[in-house]
Amino acid sequence: AASKTEDGTAVQRQSFGELFVDLGVMATQFRFTCPPYYILVMRSFVTLEGVAAKADPNFNIYQSALPYALRRALTPKTPYAQHALREAMLTSSGELRTEALASLIPDSKAETSADAADMIFSEESVTK
């Protein structure tokens, strides 16, 4: 997951723990609070990420979660979300916006919408 510094430079986070710390800093800086259950869920992810990192030092929670997150984002349940997805992914004539689909995949090598769909829904991405 990427964020930007105050000068607009992109920063790539390598761990969920870094995101958790950044959120804590922002909460203090902008005086907002998170519900307790958000904090508990985030702490659980940080713990799971730490355990996984002990088994595999190169573990990246974002890479592991990406296939599920993409499938979830591309299969909305509510009519409002389905409409929003259609608006984002289809032209006014109903054709697929290949660049919109490919943009969901970091460092995508997809050249067509079929390539992008294969990357998202492949068995390899499901098992990662």
Side-chain angles (χ1 to χ4, degrees):
S3 65
K4 293 189 177 186
T5 61
E6 289 180 16
D7 67 356
T9 307
V11 176
Q12 189 72 27
R13 281 192 195 87
Q14 295 301 314
S15 72
F16 193 82
E18 292 175 26
L19 173 64
F20 189 63
V21 169
D22 288 349
L23 285 172
V25 169
M26 286 175 43
T28 302
Q29 181 180 0
F30 296 106
R31 299 176 193 249
F32 72 84
T33 59
C34 290
Y37 57 91
Y38 275 39
I39 304 296
L40 290 173
V41 169
M42 288 188 286
R43 286 179 61 191
S44 298
F45 276 117
V46 170
T47 301
L48 289 171
E49 182 180 56
V51 170
K54 290 288 183 189
D56 177 4
N58 296 318
F59 177 76
N60 183 318
I61 197 165
Y62 299 116
Q63 286 178 329
S64 297
L66 183 62
Y68 171 78
L70 286 173
R71 279 191 306 279
R72 186 74 177 89
L74 294 172
T75 54
K77 305 279 188 259
T78 66
Y80 178 81
Q82 291 166 358
H83 175 73
L85 179 63
R86 276 192 298 278
E87 289 289 313
M89 293 293 163
L90 300 176
T91 65
S92 58
S93 62
E95 294 181 24
L96 182 64
R97 295 180 191 192
T98 306
E99 72 285 352
L101 186 59
S103 72
L104 296 174
I105 306 168
D107 302 323
S108 176
K109 305 292 188 267
E111 294 181 17
T112 68
S113 56
D115 291 342
D118 285 345
M119 292 174 131
I120 294 169
F121 296 105
S122 72
E123 282 299 315
E124 182 179 318
S125 72
V126 172
T127 58
K128 282 186 179 178

